[in-house]
Amino acid sequence: MSSIRVNVGCGATPTQGWVNIDNSWTIKGVRNPLLRAIFTPLGMFKGKDEYIATIRKHDIRWADAGKRLPFADSSVEVVYTSHMLEHMTREEVRRFLAETRRVLKPGGILRVAVPDLDYHVGLYGKHGDADQFVTGLMMAAEPPQGLLGKLRHLLVGERHHLWMYNGASMAKEMENARFSSVTVRPAGETGIQNPGTLDLAERAPESVFIEGVRS
C-alpha cells in the first residue's frame, strides 16, 4: 500500500502527489452544490477562479485541523503544515500536534513552517517603524463592516495571526507534544526521505522550519 503524506492547511499551494487538506469554506462551496448555490450570489467565489481550479485539480479536501485529522491511527508517513499554526489558538495548536502524533506512524515526521518572529524583530531593528512592525506581524484586524463582511467573518472566522513563534518556541511546543529529535532546519533542508515536490523553502526568508519525529 502506498504511503500517505499530508499537507495540512495547504491553501492555494498544495503538494503534488500528496493528500492536501484545508479548512477554507471555498472548498466546501466547490464540493457542495447547495452551498455553491448560496455562495455564488453572495460573491463568496468572486476573484477565486484560480483557487477553485487548484481545488479541483489537486482534489483538496476540507478538514478542521484544530479539531480532528481525517486519518486512522498510525497511518501517515509525513505531515507538513505551512503558515497555518499562527492562525490557531494555542489550545488548537496543541490539539493539532496531538492529532498529528496520533495519525503518524512510528518514525513518521512532522514538518512545520511558521512566520519567524525573530525575522520580524530583526526587520524592526533595522527600520524602527512601529506601524510597519505591527502590520507585518498581522496580529491585528479591523472589525468586519457591512452585512456581507459580517457574514464572511461568521463563515471563515478570524484570518489574522493569533500567536507568533520563533524556532525555539515552536520546537518547545512539539517537544511538549512528545515529538522526538525536534530540529530547527535551514530552508531547503529536511529529514524527510524523498520529499518529492514538497517546497522545502516555502515563504523563506520569513519562515522558520521545524521538524520532529513521532517516536
Side-chain angles (χ1 to χ4, degrees), residues 42-85:
L42 290 174
M44 302 295 287
F45 294 145
K46 187 176 180 180
K48 295 185 177 181
D49 291 349
E50 186 174 346
Y51 180 41
I52 290 170
T54 298
I55 291 170
R56 290 176 170 149
K57 177 181 178 181
H58 295 274
D59 191 29
I60 300 175
R61 308 176 189 178
W62 189 92
D64 187 344
K67 294 180 179 177
R68 185 171 177 82
L69 295 176
F71 306 97
D73 295 0
S74 303
S75 63
V76 175
E77 183 182 11
V78 180
V79 171
Y80 170 69
T81 185
S82 173
H83 287 249
M84 180 187 77
L85 300 187

Side-chain angles (χ1 to χ4, degrees), residues 158-176:
E158 301 290 354
R159 306 312 295 171
H160 60 283
H161 295 169
L162 300 182
W163 201 259
M164 292 289 287
Y165 301 88
N166 62 8
S169 65
M170 179 51 66
K172 183 178 179 181
E173 289 288 350
M174 292 169 65
E175 288 168 348
N176 289 342

